[in-house]
Amino acid sequence: MKESSLLILTPRCCKKWQLVNNLRTCLTKRWLRYSHTSAWKTSQCLYNILLILTTLSKEMATGKHFKDLPDELLVEIFSYVSMEDLAISVQHVSGRWKDVSQDNALWKKKVFSPDMNTTDEEIARCLKNMPSLKAYCPKRGTNNNIVNILCQYCEKIDHLEFSWSQRLNKVLVKRIVEAFPNIVNLSIPLPQETRNQLEFAQLISQFQNLTTLNFKDRGTENVAEGTLMAIADGCPSLQHLDFGYCNFPESEIRYLLKKRGHQLLSVTLTCYISTLGHELLCECTNLKRLNYENSNDDLPRTYVDHLSKLSKLEELKLCYFKTNQTKNIPNIFYKQSLSKLVKLSIFYCDDFDAAELTGIFRQCVELKFFYIRGYSDSGDGFKYVSNLKHLEHLDIACCDSLSDKSLEYIGAGCKNLKYLDICCCSLLTNKSVEFVCAGCPKLEFLSISECPLMTDAVIESVIKCKELTVLDLKWNVGISGSHFYMIPSNLTHLKELDICGCGNVDSKSVTKLQEEMPSLKIIEETKRQDEEGIDIDLEDSTFFTSHFV
């Protein structure tokens, strides 16, 4: 170990020091991520804990322990440790740490979500040491024995989210129902065999406290009759429903909407519904969130207007409406009938152009988030964007016809904008970014990737956004890095710079930038690195003394 190290270890404290060391590494990464951002409370909390751990490290070098540290502070420190370390490392240090590591406050919002590379053996080992776990959401299908282990060791589960590739039989589902009768949130794929689907649904219908149900499946062509009716007749607390891509009998969709529609707060509809089904959907007047992927090409255009009845909507996503239907989308918002709407997404609706966009901007004055794909720009579509006084998040990526004129309107009218994604807009030039950066001083995220007309000079405009934390420049061949020297003195809050695929960037410019901004995450590889990739040498005291002395 280097002489400059903060720690001189004694045998007595080696084991606990190692955990302090790990905790400090973990917290330091997160502090680097949050410091100098709008999440200042999180940053300050992490900073304070790092100060404590640094002090503790020095004290432990003299043989002292932190046995007198209050439980509340231990819980706060443990809340920043990974799920795996909490299960495998922390609770095996001492009996007290084991007790504190199972505190309900610590596990209340933690989700165990093992990634694709975590083996079934590793998952099983963790689950056996997570008796207070409440949420289990694996990113891939696992051996069914894992489900048995989950039921045996994690009795407090109330949130289960299985991936589409998880294949559960009715025996295991019955075990889940018996082990977790109070489950609240469930995402689960239907069995492929129709003979098991009805029994499967009847078991799920027994959950009395289930509020969220997601049929997480890439597509089940044939669903047994009575499957959805069983859900409608059971699940008395159901409020949030995602039909998935299951081909449910349309009559049963209508049955469910009619029986449970009054209590539904959110619906994701990605399967076919008839005109009658559409009408019943429009009668679900307590809905706050609706994701509507239209598969009914014969839906009369005037029936689109009936969505205006959903006056409590806060989030709305409309996808794949046909030309004749698209023309009536602005009517949904007539006279601000959806006055509570703050998030709107319009994806790949045929011939959605400036006329429709103008109609929306005139009516949806409370919008904070707006996403659009498949938009055909004529230059004046964003003329009335200034009506959206509260707009903070704008995503208009992949619009081949978007022009600099549209960005001029955005720059002039969106003073509160914090997030802007205009990637893959091939007609935009440096001028468009100049408009935006001059008029949107609060911008924190900017993506101008795959805009072939952008050049190095665009940095001269970008540096005007002093609050910028993320800048995405990837796949721009016109960027060489010649203006990167302007970043350190102007973009002091910048935490991430993505230059993946920028083949003409001079490596010397990147190296110099990294030297001047050592905490800046510069992404040059094709695959975005995980935040855990930040490497800090804890044997080098320079980092800590520079921040804490």
Side-chain angles (χ1 to χ4, degrees):
M1 185 175 288
K2 299 177 183 177
E3 294 182 359
S4 60
S5 173
L6 289 176
L7 306 176
I8 303 175
L9 302 182
T10 64
R12 186 180 177 188
C13 64
C14 278
K15 189 174 182 180
K16 290 187 177 181
W17 172 83
Q18 185 59 47
L19 187 56
V20 172
N21 199 0
N22 293 340
L23 284 169
R24 193 168 62 180
T25 303
C26 177
L27 292 169
T28 300
K29 294 172 184 177
R30 282 156 179 76
W31 183 74
L32 287 173
R33 182 178 179 86
Y34 290 114
S35 61
H36 307 304
T37 72
S38 58
W40 63 271
K41 289 184 179 180
T42 300
S43 175
Q44 187 62 43
C45 175
L46 294 177
Y47 182 84
N48 290 338
I49 295 174
L50 279 168
L51 282 174
I52 293 171
L53 288 177
T54 302
T55 302
L56 286 171
S57 299
K58 293 178 179 179
E59 290 180 353
M60 291 176 70
T62 66
K64 295 182 180 180
H65 300 276
F66 46 79
K67 60 184 179 181
D68 295 326
L69 202 65
D71 289 354
E72 293 78 7
L73 186 52
L74 277 179
V75 169
E76 184 67 29
I77 293 172
F78 292 165
S79 69
Y80 295 99
V81 179
S82 72
M83 298 285 289
E84 292 79 4
D85 282 341
L86 195 59
I88 305 302
S89 301
V90 172
Q91 62 179 288
H92 297 296
V93 171
S94 68
R96 182 183 173 225
W97 278 36
K98 182 176 181 178
D99 292 340
V100 174
S101 71
Q102 299 304 328
D103 189 287
N104 285 330
L106 183 61
W107 291 86
K108 186 176 181 179
K109 295 184 179 180
K110 283 192 177 295
V111 179
F112 183 38
S113 184
D115 59 28
M116 300 293 289
N117 297 321
T118 308
T119 66
D120 287 349
E121 290 74 16
E122 291 170 332
I123 295 173
R125 185 184 176 201
C126 286
L127 289 176
K128 289 177 180 180
N129 289 281
M130 294 179 172
S132 297
L133 182 67
K134 292 182 178 296
Y136 176 57
C137 306
K139 295 180 179 178
R140 63 170 176 84
T142 57
N143 188 300
N144 284 340
N145 185 50
I146 297 295
V147 179
N148 283 319
I149 292 173
L150 181 74
C151 295
Q152 181 179 353
Y153 290 92
C154 306
E155 60 183 19
K156 296 183 180 180
I157 290 287
D158 62 15
H159 181 155
L160 273 178
E161 189 171 319
F162 293 109
S163 75
W164 64 270
S165 59
Q166 185 76 50
R167 291 299 171 234
L168 299 172
N169 55 49
K170 60 184 180 182
V171 175
L172 284 174
V173 175
K174 184 177 181 180
R175 181 80 190 277
I176 290 171
V177 173
E178 293 172 347
F180 313 121
N182 296 317
I183 200 163
V184 174
N185 189 318
L186 179 64
S187 294
I188 195 166
L190 280 175
Q192 292 296 311
E193 304 81 8
T194 55
R195 66 179 182 275
N196 294 327
Q197 291 168 353
L198 182 55
E199 290 182 68
F200 191 89
Q202 289 171 340
L203 288 168
I204 293 174
S205 70
Q206 297 177 30
F207 287 121
Q208 298 297 299
N209 298 323
L210 187 67
T211 62
T212 303
L213 177 59
N214 176 1
F215 288 107
K216 199 163 191 176
D217 209 317
R218 287 191 171 181
T220 300
E221 289 296 326
N222 299 303
V223 180
E225 290 186 9
T227 298
L228 205 53
M229 292 180 68
I231 301 298
D233 292 335
C235 301
S237 303
L238 191 63
Q239 294 180 338
H240 310 279
L241 179 61
D242 185 341
F243 290 91
Y245 289 92
C246 302
N247 188 24
F248 291 110
E250 209 277 333
S251 60
E252 294 192 21
I253 295 177
R254 297 202 306 270
Y255 181 85
L256 187 143
L257 291 175
K258 189 172 183 178
K259 186 160 187 174
R260 296 293 181 193
H262 65 283
Q263 67 189 57
L264 291 177
L265 300 181
S266 69
V267 168
T268 295
L269 192 65
T270 50
C271 53
Y272 175 87
I273 62 169
S274 66
T275 300
L276 290 175
H278 173 86
E279 282 297 276
L280 287 170
L281 178 65
C282 295
E283 296 299 327
C284 300
T285 52
N286 287 315
L287 280 181
K288 293 185 178 181
R289 292 179 293 278
L290 174 61
N291 180 352
Y292 192 172
E293 294 189 13
N294 177 50
S295 301
N296 184 358
D297 295 350
D298 298 322
L299 181 70
R301 60 183 293 177
T302 55
Y303 277 62
V304 175
D305 304 11
H306 298 174
L307 289 169
S308 62
K309 297 178 183 180
L310 306 178
S311 58
K312 295 183 181 181
L313 277 183
E314 297 173 3
E315 299 179 16
L316 175 62
K317 182 177 180 179
L318 300 174
C319 307
Y320 309 126
F321 282 79
K322 300 303 178 183
T323 300
N324 61 322
Q325 300 161 346
T326 296
K327 299 304 177 184
N328 276 45
I329 286 179
N331 295 344
I332 299 173
F333 314 100
Y334 184 61
K335 292 185 177 180
Q336 298 182 18
S337 55
L338 303 188
S339 59
K340 296 183 178 180
L341 197 69
V342 295
K343 184 176 181 179
L344 176 62
S345 304
I346 307 291
F347 279 18
Y348 304 110
C349 293
D350 292 350
D351 296 328
F352 191 92
D353 56 24
E356 283 71 52
L357 196 60
T358 297
I360 289 176
F361 287 164
R362 284 177 168 173
Q363 302 295 332
C364 300
V365 295
E366 299 298 323
L367 282 185
K368 290 185 178 181
F369 304 85
F370 183 60
Y371 306 76
I372 189 168
R373 293 288 186 277
Y375 167 62
S376 180
D377 182 57
S378 64
D380 291 326
F382 285 87
K383 186 175 182 179
Y384 295 96
V385 73
S386 59
N387 288 346
L388 310 184
K389 303 295 184 184
H390 308 293
L391 190 66
E392 296 180 357
H393 191 119
L394 181 59
D395 186 334
I396 46 179
C398 305
C399 180
D400 289 337
S401 59
L402 198 68
S403 66
D404 289 346
K405 185 65 176 177
S406 296
L407 273 294
E408 183 177 4
Y409 289 130
I410 293 170
C414 302
K415 306 297 183 184
N416 294 312
L417 202 63
K418 295 181 180 180
Y419 180 107
L420 178 63
D421 189 343
I422 51 175
C423 76
C424 303
C425 296
S426 56
L427 298 182
L428 295 182
T429 69
N430 292 350
K431 197 68 176 177
S432 64
V433 179
E434 179 183 341
F435 290 138
V436 169
C437 294
C440 306
K442 298 181 181 180
L443 208 61
E444 297 176 5
F445 177 100
L446 176 62
S447 175
I448 52 176
S449 67
E450 297 187 68
C451 294
L453 301 182
M454 298 290 177
T455 67
D456 284 303
V458 75
I459 301 297
E460 296 176 7
S461 298
V462 171
I463 60 174
K464 296 177 182 178
C465 298
K466 304 299 183 182
E467 300 300 316
L468 204 65
T469 60
V470 178
L471 177 59
D472 183 358
L473 301 174
K474 62 177 176 287
W475 302 108
N476 280 326
V477 294
I479 302 293
S480 70
S482 63
H483 286 54
F484 283 179
Y485 72 91
M486 306 175 73
I487 293 178
S489 58
N490 290 282
L491 301 181
T492 56
H493 300 326
L494 194 66
K495 295 301 175 187
E496 182 175 307
L497 174 65
D498 195 338
I499 53 173
C500 168
C502 296
N504 294 323
V505 169
D506 180 15
S507 59
K508 293 181 179 179
S509 300
V510 177
T511 300
K512 184 172 178 57
L513 177 60
Q514 190 72 84
E515 290 174 351
E516 295 188 38
M517 300 182 73
S519 64
L520 176 64
K521 181 179 180 181
I522 301 179
I523 302 174
E524 300 180 76
E525 301 172 2
T526 301
K527 185 176 181 179
R528 183 178 291 267
Q529 300 173 9
D530 184 77
E531 68 168 319
E532 298 301 324
I534 303 175
D535 184 24
I536 298 171
D537 182 5
L538 291 178
E539 293 187 0
D540 182 1
S541 64
T542 306
F543 171 81
F544 289 101
T545 54
S546 65
H547 285 84
F548 303 132
V549 176

